[in-house]
Amino acid sequence: MTAKPTEPTANTPAQDAKDAKDATAAADGSSAKDNRPAASDGASSAPRASYEHDGKPWLTAFTLLRYLWPADRPRLRLLFVLTGLAILMGQGFLAITPMVFATAVDAVGGEGRFPNASLTLLIGLVTAFGLARLLAQGSQEISSALFVFVGQNGIRSVALETFRHLHELSLRFHLGRQTGGLSRAIERGTKGIEFVLRMTTFNLVPTTFAIVIVSLILLFNFGPLYAAITFVTVVGYIIYTVMVTDWRIKYRRMMNETDSEATTKAVDSLLNYETVKYFSNEVHEATRFDGALRGYERAAVNNQLSLSLLNIGQGIIIAAGLVLLLSLSVPQVLAGEMTVGDFVAIQAYLIQLYLPLNFLGFAYREIRQGLVDMEYMFNLLDVDREIPDSPRAPVLKIDGGQLDFQTVNFGYNDDRQILHDLDFSVEAGKTLAIVGPSGSGKSTIGRMLFRFYDVWDGAIRIDGQDIRRVQQASLREAIGIVPQDTVLFNDTIAYNIAYGRPEASLEHVIEAAKLAQIHDFILDLPEGYDTRVGERGLKLSGGERQRVSIARTILKDPSILLFDEATSALDTDTESAIQASLAAVSRDRTTLVIAHRLSTVVDADEIIVLDKGRIAERGSHQALLERDGVYAHMWHSQQEADE
């Protein structure tokens, strides 16, 4: 499978068979060159987040229908149908109100069907007019009440699927994403869904239905000329609106892009607040942010100017049609060919038609933009998972937790290989330490163990099971990690510790905190375990964050432990205390320790020294010192530095 995501394409059966064959070959330790990503200049080859628009927003509407018409939710389908019926009923009642009012006007003037109408009949006609309007409004309110279930469920379904999909995407994608722009794309997408649903259901569809009804009424009651003028006016209005809106949509897209750019710069700058202060670059950050805001300002001005042009043109078309129809009816009223009630009815129909039609221009513009906003978010769902589970992949079965790296070759890019023929084993319950200079590939091993990336050649096995053949969720449940850079959620200390096992009780959280040597520190805080740690946990020191991470891993109680520079941010005294806790926790567990400080790995059963992705030395601490090689040189250098 390709390590670098590209545009999603549907595999043919032959391609699926080829992928399975390549994966099988890789699992057997043979070459699988298709796992190698294309060469690029970036070290991580992180792709540009592919959630930009592709110029086909109307296709997004069909995608949305899948969430509004779910195959497994017949109740929602029924509500969707009832909503449509209520909308049609409302438009039907609205269509008869001008005729009822015109009949009442003629009756009052002694014309029409009831030239000698009694007071009771006149009151009845007026009451019928009011009842028709009440039923029309009632039908609209019923349709709104019914559709809120369908619409909100659709919004929730899309947002939840997008959220889940983002968590399923590869580490490569998330290393290349821009958090501010991505969050804005999702935010605008969910708002766009709500607006498109409301405008389409309660404006576009009813207005279209009203146009058809009014045109038919004018045709059968006043002649084809009235219907023709109405039809030409409406068609001209729609054509003008669509053409101008499609022309000016580029300005709204430019507003979106510059808005995302400004948000990304602001979020990035605020997340790096301390760095900005360290280098006194407040003015520089403000200049960068202002540059993005200037782009948004220009796009917003052009957007408003083009909007004004659109509104003026729409007003001219509506006014021309209205004047033409009324001018046509006035002579007929004077000649007695048409009653005053008919004149009033024509005017009422025109007002009833043109008022929503005038709003239709706004609705079309906003629906068009809403579809563009939704398109950004739906395109996120089209980003392929770089590391998917194999079809019918079994759950990883732990039987001791022996770990084997078998002739593993890997690189983030084809032109920069990181690991070369890496071959080692960690017996169940034993501890293996991996040391080496920065850039030697130590942390890459941890990422591959969690299957954030797949090997080029060779295989990684746990208890004989190739990790590419098992469910990723079960793989990651079996492994606990204390990373070098611990990032916490902006929640309480108790929540962050319990994240290792969310269903754990407070008693178990406290027990894990004690083993991680952080319980006493937490009790000294004013709010104890309810203390909030701030954005990314920055209210705590580096050592405190790492101890929370250790407690979280202890609570998870995994079969395999991975310590990636687990004590790098701790002082010497705290390191000694935590090393004892880690030793107790890792007892009888398969443990992989990635370390830079060699004092933390002296008790490991075996130590591997990496140099440029290759195993340079291996053995126990004492054996490596006696060899007087790379490890011994690193040991003496660190001892001199400590002294």
Side-chain angles (χ1 to χ4, degrees):
M1 64 189 61
T2 308
K4 182 176 181 179
T6 57
E7 287 296 318
T9 56
N11 282 352
T12 63
Q15 181 63 42
D16 289 337
K18 178 179 182 299
D19 291 344
K21 181 178 179 181
D22 290 340
T24 303
D28 293 335
S30 57
S31 177
K33 300 301 182 182
D34 283 351
N35 283 348
R36 300 195 179 200
S40 75
D41 295 332
S44 64
S45 186
R48 177 177 54 87
S50 53
Y51 47 87
E52 296 184 358
H53 62 82
D54 55 16
K56 300 177 181 177
W58 290 112
L59 296 178
T60 306
F62 294 99
T63 304
L64 180 59
L65 285 176
R66 176 165 62 90
Y67 299 94
L68 301 179
W69 192 259
D72 58 341
R73 303 288 295 278
R75 178 173 171 270
L76 284 178
R77 287 187 171 190
L78 177 61
L79 289 175
F80 192 87
V81 172
L82 292 177
T83 300
L85 291 176
I87 291 173
L88 294 181
M89 288 178 58
Q91 290 303 311
F93 286 123
L94 274 179
I96 66 174
T97 52
M99 296 302 298
V100 175
F101 186 68
T103 302
V105 170
D106 284 341
V108 171
E111 296 181 295
R113 298 179 182 178
F114 309 103
N116 299 310
S118 64
L119 178 62
T120 302
L121 179 59
L122 291 175
I123 293 176
L125 290 172
V126 172
T127 303
F129 170 74
L131 182 61
R133 293 190 62 86
L134 178 62
L135 290 174
Q137 182 179 0
S139 298
Q140 292 175 349
E141 294 303 324
I142 291 174
S143 64
S144 297
L146 292 173
F147 192 73
V148 70
F149 295 100
V150 181
Q152 292 302 320
N153 183 269
I155 293 171
R156 179 171 66 89
S157 298
V158 176
L160 180 60
E161 184 171 341
T162 305
F163 181 78
R164 285 175 171 170
H165 184 70
L166 287 174
H167 278 288
E168 292 175 351
L169 294 179
S170 66
L171 177 63
R172 194 188 306 272
F173 173 86
H174 286 280
L175 289 176
R177 65 171 165 77
Q178 292 179 314
T179 305
L182 185 63
S183 63
R184 289 292 288 170
I186 298 174
E187 177 187 358
R188 283 198 302 261
T190 52
K191 288 183 178 179
I193 291 174
E194 184 172 10
F195 196 88
V196 166
L197 291 178
R198 185 155 297 280
M199 287 295 100
T200 302
T201 307
F202 302 112
N203 183 269
L204 187 60
V205 172
T207 302
T208 303
F209 189 63
I211 291 172
V212 174
I213 292 179
V214 170
S215 298
L216 291 175
I217 291 175
L218 292 176
L219 174 64
F220 290 110
N221 287 276
F222 304 106
L225 185 57
Y226 285 88
I229 293 175
T230 302
F231 180 78
V232 170
T233 303
V234 170
V235 171
Y237 181 95
I238 293 175
I239 292 175
Y240 176 80
T241 300
V242 170
M243 291 180 60
V244 177
T245 300
D246 287 341
W247 163 72
R248 61 181 296 270
I249 199 68
K250 60 184 179 183
Y251 297 119
R252 188 59 182 267
R253 280 177 172 162
M254 193 179 301
M255 288 176 62
N256 278 355
E257 292 168 359
T258 52
D259 179 42
S260 295
E261 180 185 357
T263 303
T264 298
K265 284 183 169 58
V267 171
D268 193 38
S269 179
L270 293 175
L271 287 177
N272 292 280
Y273 169 83
E274 292 185 52
T275 304
V276 174
K277 289 295 184 181
Y278 289 151
F279 293 92
S280 301
N281 274 340
E282 294 89 346
V283 175
H284 171 70
E285 291 298 320
T287 302
R288 291 179 68 237
F289 185 56
D290 185 54
L293 291 180
R294 286 179 183 273
Y296 180 83
E297 179 184 4
R298 288 192 296 269
V301 169
N302 290 331
N303 180 68
Q304 183 58 48
L305 293 177
S306 61
L307 175 61
S308 299
L309 176 64
L310 177 60
N311 289 337
I312 291 173
Q314 290 172 336
I316 292 174
I317 294 174
I318 290 177
L322 182 62
V323 170
L324 188 59
L325 278 176
L326 293 180
S327 299
L328 186 64
S329 62
V330 167
Q332 291 183 285
V333 173
L334 295 178
E337 300 174 358
M338 186 181 293
T339 66
V340 174
D342 293 333
F343 179 82
V344 171
I346 291 174
Q347 184 184 32
Y349 276 123
L350 291 175
I351 293 175
Q352 183 174 297
L353 178 63
Y354 285 149
L355 283 180
L357 187 62
N358 186 47
F359 188 71
L360 181 63
F362 165 77
Y364 173 78
R365 293 191 302 269
E366 295 304 316
I367 288 173
R368 186 75 162 77
Q369 179 55 40
L371 291 172
V372 171
D373 292 340
M374 289 160 53
E375 186 184 9
Y376 278 79
M377 186 173 66
F378 282 138
N379 281 350
L380 280 171
L381 296 175
D382 290 333
V383 179
D384 283 338
R385 294 178 61 184
E386 182 182 344
I387 312 292
D389 281 336
S390 300
R392 297 180 297 278
V395 173
L396 176 67
K397 297 178 180 178
I398 297 295
D399 182 19
Q402 177 166 325
L403 178 63
D404 297 292
F405 274 64
Q406 299 176 336
T407 321
V408 170
N409 289 282
F410 173 75
Y412 295 107
N413 309 303
D414 196 31
D415 57 352
R416 183 169 178 258
Q417 186 168 344
I418 304 297
L419 302 178
H420 302 265
D421 297 324
L422 203 62
D423 202 333
F424 64 85
S425 296
V426 188
E427 295 182 7
K430 299 296 184 179
T431 298
L432 173 74
I434 300 177
V435 301
S438 298
S440 60
K442 302 189 300 297
S443 295
T444 299
I445 292 174
R447 289 177 170 180
M448 299 193 69
L449 181 59
F450 274 89
R451 207 183 166 208
F452 292 152
Y453 301 94
D454 272 339
V455 300
W456 285 0
D457 306 317
I460 302 174
R461 298 180 185 275
I462 295 178
D463 287 331
Q465 303 160 84
D466 191 326
I467 65 173
R468 289 169 296 178
R469 297 291 175 270
V470 299
Q471 295 178 14
Q472 295 181 59
S474 65
L475 168 67
R476 291 162 188 162
E477 285 175 1
I479 307 173
I481 182 173
V482 180
Q484 177 180 8
D485 183 18
T486 298
V487 178
L488 303 180
F489 292 94
N490 189 3
D491 209 303
T492 65
I493 292 179
Y495 174 84
N496 278 281
I497 295 177
Y499 202 77
R501 184 153 50 93
E503 71 279 5
S505 64
L506 180 60
E507 289 74 17
H508 289 118
V509 170
I510 293 174
E511 182 181 350
K514 289 179 178 178
L515 289 174
Q517 304 293 323
I518 196 175
H519 175 69
D520 293 338
F521 163 76
I522 296 174
L523 292 183
D524 289 338
L525 297 173
E527 297 181 63
Y529 280 87
D530 292 327
T531 302
R532 301 188 71 89
V533 301
E535 186 80 27
R536 298 172 63 85
L538 294 180
K539 287 186 178 180
L540 303 180
S541 68
E544 291 159 357
R545 289 198 302 272
Q546 237 165 357
R547 280 183 283 177
V548 169
S549 178
I550 293 170
R552 183 163 60 190
T553 302
I554 292 172
L555 187 63
K556 184 179 180 180
D557 193 25
S559 300
I560 299 174
L561 290 173
L562 172 62
F563 300 138
D564 187 359
E565 306 283 3
T567 59
S568 62
L570 306 178
D571 56 76
T572 304
D573 293 337
T574 305
E575 179 188 10
S576 300
I578 289 185
Q579 279 298 122
S581 298
L582 292 179
V585 171
S586 60
R587 187 176 297 118
D588 300 327
R589 285 187 174 89
T590 305
T591 305
L592 190 63
V593 180
I594 297 172
H596 177 72
R597 295 169 65 174
L598 303 185
S599 59
T600 63
V601 301
V602 294
D603 295 325
D605 297 298
E606 185 179 19
I607 300 172
I608 288 178
V609 182
L610 281 187
D611 186 19
K612 297 180 180 179
R614 302 179 186 274
I615 297 179
E617 296 176 345
R618 64 195 311 166
S620 66
H621 171 71
Q622 190 60 39
L624 290 174
L625 288 180
E626 293 173 357
R627 181 176 298 180
D628 197 24
V630 178
Y631 181 87
H633 175 73
M634 294 172 59
W635 173 264
H636 294 309
S637 297
Q638 291 187 13
Q639 291 298 309
E640 291 176 1
D642 290 341
E643 292 175 1

